[in-house]
Each structure stands twice: as structure tokens, then as C-alpha cells.
Amino acid sequence: MTLITRILSSLLLLASITLSQSANAEITLSLDRSDVHENETFHLRVRVEDSSTLRAGANVNFIPEEITIRSRQEYNNSIVNNGKYITQMGWDFELLATSAGTYTIPALSIGNERSEPFTIRILPEQNDLGDTTNAKIKLRANLSDTEVYVQQQLIFTVRIYRSVVARNQQITPIRVTNALVEQLGDSKAFDVVKDGNDFRVVEQRYAIFPQQSGEMTIEPMTYSATVLEESQGRSPWQRSQLKPLSLSTQKYTVNVKPKPQNAAEPWLPATKLELEAEWQPKNQTFRVGDPANLDFIIKGTGLLKTQLPSVTFPEQQGVTIYRDTPQYRQRINRFGVNSYHFEKIAVIPSESGEITIPEIKVPWWNVKTDQQEYATLPAQTIQVQQSSKQITSDDNQTVIPQGKQIATQQEPEAQEKQTLLTNEQNYWKYITFALGILWLLTLFLLMRQKSQPAYPQASDLNQDRSGDDEALSASLKRAIKAAKANDPRATIQCLSAWLRGAATNVSATNIRQFIAFCESHELSDLAKELERLQQHCYSKQGNQSWKGQKLAHLLAGFKSSTMKNTQQRLPELYNTDR
């Protein structure tokens, strides 16, 4: 009975997993291009995830009645992506809209798969074809504007219409004076239906950014091909005659205006500019000394990625900001060039409480409204909690006798030296006892030498310091070892663990406070190396390699150097105690 129950449970679990996967399956729709005009053909691809959906939707018609279906093909193929086989299946529609407007395909439900509503926008017809009765091939070009500002985006479109077969097709490259030219993706091919005639269209779009005010010239572009010459009197047995053809666009002149006098710096003529920032993760807890990650994004429409501004974050008390090397992207759509600036920012609080990062404003010139505007990143206010060590210290405070309260109020350096002196007094008892035994055993050698001083020799102090080095906490030892191995991540983790632990006498709970401690105690070299370590871990400037041998040397000598200063005063204190 138990075996049957287990089998049924397994089957139910398998069925629930299958149903869950089916419920999450999604139908996706996409167009071959975003800029579609009336009387132009375009392709709609509908992709499904399961073969049963493909069979169930074979005869389903979900295309709006206002759009003509010229062809419908089912596809089912596999591709290899990163060593994995991926199956793609669905339908590919060739569509034609004879009227401009917005058409919506409602949410689809085929088999176990669903889709979101999908909108198709058809723009008004382009009237650049002209008379269709005579020429079989036409070359057309148009500009988005005839007057622009310097560095403003200008869209130049070239179209080749043909209703006959053409061979050896070529077109000369675009030539523009005093401007940067960006080709907007690959050429697009589709059909235009006009007056009952079908024309095959090849379209190429360019984004032009003038770099100098004044007159900018776009030189003519020449298209050449060979076409079949038609002759009514030609015999069917005669060979076809090929006729060379050459067409050119007109020469275009654009008036480029200089930057307005009242425009702020930096000069950013754009259609849109946005600043965004988001904490990762979104609902994180901020603690003193713990880095928090902030994703910073700049979005520019009608700007090259090289035009995106460099934004400066203002300095704010209680927080340190480290910036990563930004990454840039460019995307193409019907509006031309869209550029993106992605940047990782590490924010390290050094104080608890409420901290506000001021707002950031970047000026830009709106080319649509022809006026100055500002992209704004609102101020970021965070609540910073105490570090883990500070919380532990507050919860476990020790009652100090009245006679010792003065000693506990000393500066961090005096407290550390006092602790070392207490330890040294214990060491002296054992060292004196050991020296007495050695003196009795080696009396015949000691008589040849000077009498031993009442305090230990330098060699004894070196041995003492060696013993103290061995007494360093495991976390600090691991930090020194990681620094010698040039491992910045392990070094900063071990140092943070050492500072948060109870074994250290340094009055710091994180790396930032440790740097401040070193600067206040004239340990500038150690402070600089710690600063370099933090900058490498959180800003990654230039992705340069980090060398930690100097930091390892300074950390190893950090405690022993403090002990040396203490030991130089031991004879006086020892004699006073005696």
C-alpha cells in the first residue's frame, strides 16, 4: 500500500510540474521593422514554445480584418546557442495594410500558451514613388530636417524601388562634409503595392551628426545595375539583352545652426535625456562600513554614446562613493540612435543615521521644443544602521570600577600601548626565570662576558616581538597572506573580519575607520595602501592589477612597531615598580 501511495504521489508531482510549465509558456509576437507605412508589406513572427500549440493554432486566424495576409508559413527549426540546442517554432506572416492607423491583435490563448495584446502601428503612405507607369526602377532619398543645430541628429533615408529583375546592383557610399555618419542597422527589404503594381524596395537609413555650424552638404549617391531590356518584336529564341542603368540622388544642403548663447554646458541637443538609479537589491539594509550597490543609467534619444555626459556625484559627509568603469550601448529604432550609459556605484556609509545623497541635474537642449531642459536624478535618502561590532559592543558593555574609568577614557593609541605593557609584565616573569636557569648552567661562559643588564637585550626584544607576531589573530594573518598573494577581495574581507572581531585593540570597526585611525596616528603609508585597496575593490579604475606586497609588509609591522615604542619605556616603568 505504501509503494502504491508513493507512485501516485510521484505521478501527481510530475503532473503538477508539467501543468506549471505549460501555464508559464508564453506566445511572443514581433515585427521585422518598427517603421511601417501603408501599402508596404511587413512580416509578423509569432513564436510558440510547444509543438502541441503549433498544431492547435494551425487554422486559427487572429490577424485584424483591416490587414491583408499575403502569405503564412509555419516554421520549426533548431539552432545551437552556447552549446545548447534551442527549438524555435511558430508562424511567419507576410502582411499588407492599405490604411494608416493602429491595429491591435488581442491576447491569444492557443493550447496551454498565452500572449499579451500586440499593437501594430501603420504610418501614412510615403509619396516619393511618383508615377509608376514609366520607370521600372526609381531611386529616392529624403531628409528628416533641412535645418538643425550643430551635433543634432539628422535622419537621411535612401530607397530603391524596382519592379523588374536587376543584376550587379551597386550604390556609392554616403558622403557628407563636416559630419559624423552612423548607418542605422542593415538595409531593409519589403514590397510596396501601388496602382496594382508591386515594387521591391530596399531601404537604408543613416543618422548624420554635423560637427560644424554653417552649410553642410550631402553629396549625390549613385545606383547602378543591369536590367533585362524588353522588346515586343524580339523572337522567343533570341537571347535576352541586358541594359546598364545608372541613377543618382540630388545634392542636399543643410543649414547647421550654432549652439544657442543661452544654452548650458554640456551641449546635448537631443529628443530626450533621462537619469535613473536603482539600489541592488532594492530593499537592502545599509550598515556602517558595508558597501551598497547602486545601478546608475543615462538614456539619450538622438545622441551618440560618445555624446553622453560624464556626471559627477557631489561629495557628502558620512558616505564614500566609488565608481566602476561605465559601459556604453547604442540601439537603433525608428527615432534613430538611442544611447545608454550603464555604471555600477559602490556607496560605503561611514556614519549611522539618515544620510541624503543630493540630487543630480544635467542640462540638455530639447530639439523638438527648441528650449533648455534638465534631466534630474532625485535625491537618495538612506537610513544607515550601526555596524555589527558597534551593535555587539552596545549590548555587552562592561561595568568599569570608578578607579579605572580614567584609564578607559584614554586615546586609542594610549589604550593599545597600556595593553601591551600589561602583557609585557607577564612576559618578563617568564623571561627572568629562564635567564636565571641559563645563567647557572652556563656560568663558565658568563664569567668571560660582561654582566647581564637588568633589562633584556635587543635580541630578547626581537624574540618577544616574534612571539607577538605569532599571537596576531587568524583573520589578520589571512589578510597579510592574501595581500602577499595579490588577492584584493580576500584581503579586504579578512581585514574587515579582523576589525569586526573582539581580538583587535584598534578603535575601528571597518576599513574606512581604520584608514582614519592610521592617518591620525601618523601611519600615512598604511593609510594610503588601504585607500588603494578600497579603490581597486569598489571602483576598478582601468581594471589594473593590484600589488599587495607593500600592504602585507605594513600590516605585519603594524603591531610590532607599536610594541617597540612601548618597550623603549619599559626600564623606567620597571624600576618604578620595583
Side-chain angles (χ1 to χ4, degrees), residues 170-222:
Q170 292 182 346
I171 188 168
T172 57
I174 185 172
R175 293 178 297 157
V176 188
T177 57
N178 300 320
L180 298 176
V181 180
E182 190 82 13
Q183 181 171 312
L184 299 179
D186 297 329
S187 60
K188 304 292 184 181
F190 51 90
D191 292 339
V192 169
V193 179
K194 189 171 183 180
D195 300 332
N197 298 317
D198 282 12
F199 287 86
R200 189 63 175 170
V201 182
V202 178
E203 179 186 86
Q204 182 63 66
R205 302 170 72 230
Y206 302 90
I208 302 174
F209 296 85
Q211 300 298 299
Q212 183 177 326
S213 60
E215 187 177 273
M216 182 184 72
T217 302
I218 303 176
E219 299 294 338
M221 298 179 67
T222 301

Side-chain angles (χ1 to χ4, degrees), residues 364-402:
W364 64 285
W365 193 268
N366 191 327
V367 296
K368 289 185 176 180
T369 61
D370 198 20
Q371 62 183 6
Q372 184 80 66
E373 294 189 13
Y374 290 86
T376 304
L377 180 67
Q380 304 279 330
T381 301
I382 58 177
Q383 293 291 337
V384 181
Q385 300 180 9
Q386 293 180 338
S387 65
S388 302
K389 182 175 179 180
Q390 288 175 327
I391 295 174
T392 304
S393 300
D394 293 341
D395 294 340
N396 300 284
Q397 288 186 351
T398 304
V399 178
I400 303 174
Q402 183 67 26

Side-chain angles (χ1 to χ4, degrees), residues 242-341:
L242 296 177
K243 179 182 178 180
L245 178 70
S246 180
L247 301 171
S248 297
T249 63
Q250 69 180 65
K251 183 178 181 179
Y252 289 90
T253 301
V254 179
N255 179 32
V256 181
K257 299 182 293 183
K259 184 187 83 169
Q261 294 182 354
N262 62 335
E265 291 291 342
W267 168 242
L268 298 172
T271 305
K272 193 174 184 180
L273 187 71
E274 296 177 283
L275 305 181
E276 295 180 2
E278 185 174 358
W279 294 103
Q280 297 295 341
K282 295 182 179 180
N283 300 320
Q284 64 177 305
T285 301
F286 300 93
R287 292 189 182 277
V288 174
D290 294 342
N293 295 321
L294 183 67
D295 287 348
F296 177 59
I297 304 173
I298 306 176
K299 299 179 181 180
T301 302
L303 292 174
L304 293 169
K305 63 182 181 181
T306 54
Q307 292 178 277
L308 292 178
S310 178
V311 176
T312 301
F313 280 77
E315 294 185 1
Q316 180 67 20
Q317 183 178 358
V319 67
T320 303
I321 295 177
Y322 294 97
R323 305 179 65 174
D324 200 350
T325 303
Q327 297 181 354
Y328 296 91
R329 298 284 186 274
Q330 274 188 189
R331 295 179 181 174
I332 307 300
N333 61 12
R334 58 186 299 269
F335 301 107
V337 178
N338 296 267
S339 297
Y340 303 85
H341 167 119

Side-chain angles (χ1 to χ4, degrees), residues 29 99 105 163 198 262 290 372 423 429 438 441-442 510 521:
L29 295 84
S99 299
I105 298 176
S163 60
D198 282 12
N262 62 335
D290 294 342
Q372 184 80 66
N423 293 335
K429 296 177 182 180
L438 291 174
L441 295 176
T442 58
N510 55 66
H521 289 76

Side-chain angles (χ1 to χ4, degrees), residues 36-40 96-100 122-126 192-193:
V36 181
H37 297 263
E38 62 179 296
N39 294 323
E40 295 179 359
L96 173 67
T98 57
S99 299
I122 305 299
L123 302 175
E125 180 183 18
Q126 288 192 331
V192 169
V193 179

Side-chain angles (χ1 to χ4, degrees), residues 134-153:
N134 296 324
K136 302 301 181 182
I137 297 181
K138 293 190 176 185
L139 178 64
R140 297 288 184 264
N142 63 72
L143 280 170
S144 60
D145 298 281
T146 57
E147 186 177 66
V148 295
Y149 283 108
V150 62
Q151 298 182 353
Q152 177 186 338
Q153 176 183 254

